[in-house]
Amino acid sequence: MSPEERKALICRAAACYERAGLTGNAAQCWEDGGEPARAAPLHRALGRLEQAALAHERAGQPGPAAECYAAAGNHAAALGCLVAAGQLLEAAWTAAHHLGRVAEARALLGRVEAEDELTRLSLALVRDRCARRGEAVVAIADAWPGLGLGAPRLASWALALAEAIDRPDLSAMLYAAMDGSPGVANAWESWAGDRLGDRAAARPEVSP
């Protein structure tokens, strides 16, 4: 049997396993058949995040690999993949927030151009994370209604920054600014219960 015939046979087996719901067997066959891109989402579906990340890397997909590494808590590996994918802002945040590698984060920021308001605020957030200050959180709260599709990631980073520097007042300010956005009411209740000891606490009002 030629290598090509063997590969075709293994891939047919992978497809059969996948149709039968035997996800683990299918993932292994796709790997053995030299199709890591087909194996990666199956590993992820099974919660095998590191294996999914490795499969994405073998498939030349550093962005999805970074997502899997981050979900698995392997932020050092995620950082390398983010840089390889050209996602330098995300890489800088990972270096600063998850790894405490401030000099590396600042070097990565130097390679990012502030082409729009969202990018400018993201840069400010990472700089503030490096310096352990919270001015960017205030700027994001002020700009919130007009931030568009990138707002959820920005809010996630801003809330993480506020907690990292122990500024619950900034978290509360941002939750108030986001009032009415999807999922915010539940997120506020959870945060208020954990941080303030009162899930029913009222969000502060935002000055017009």
Side-chain angles (χ1 to χ4, degrees):
M1 182 183 296
S2 70
E4 291 78 13
E5 289 171 329
R6 182 177 181 276
K7 175 177 179 176
L9 185 62
I10 293 172
C11 289
R12 282 199 298 272
C16 289
Y17 278 131
E18 200 166 347
R19 285 194 296 271
L22 298 172
T23 306
N25 299 78
Q28 187 58 57
C29 281
W30 285 125
E31 293 272 19
D32 293 343
E35 296 289 343
R38 298 289 298 270
L42 302 182
H43 286 309
R44 190 165 189 172
L46 292 169
R48 303 191 311 212
L49 296 172
E50 291 270 359
Q51 286 177 262
L54 289 167
H56 278 304
E57 284 195 275
R58 285 193 292 273
Q61 300 170 334
E67 292 177 13
C68 291
Y69 278 130
N74 188 345
H75 295 291
L79 174 59
C81 289
L82 287 168
V83 173
Q87 296 174 237
L88 300 182
L89 261 178
E90 292 84 351
W93 174 260
T94 296
H97 183 66
H98 294 291
L99 300 172
R101 287 153 53 171
V102 170
E104 187 172 357
R106 286 173 170 153
L108 287 164
L109 290 180
R111 298 165 57 186
V112 179
E113 293 185 12
E115 298 175 347
D116 52 37
E117 181 70 357
L118 196 65
T119 304
R120 187 187 68 77
L121 289 170
S122 297
L123 287 165
L125 261 181
V126 182
R127 291 191 187 102
D128 276 11
R129 184 63 185 89
C130 291
R132 297 188 60 80
R133 64 188 182 216
E135 286 87 347
V137 180
V138 179
I140 289 165
D142 289 343
W144 180 260
L147 291 179
L149 294 177
R153 185 197 70 183
L154 202 60
S156 174
W157 288 5
L159 290 168
L161 169 59
E163 293 303 302
I165 61 176
D166 195 23
R167 288 289 304 274
D169 58 310
L170 293 179
S171 295
M173 176 191 299
L174 187 55
Y175 275 120
M178 295 189 297
D179 188 30
S181 298
V184 168
N186 289 337
W188 165 262
E189 288 183 7
S190 178
W191 179 85
D194 292 341
R195 203 69 161 87
L196 308 178
D198 181 8
R199 290 179 62 90
R203 288 191 292 277
E205 294 184 1
V206 178
S207 300

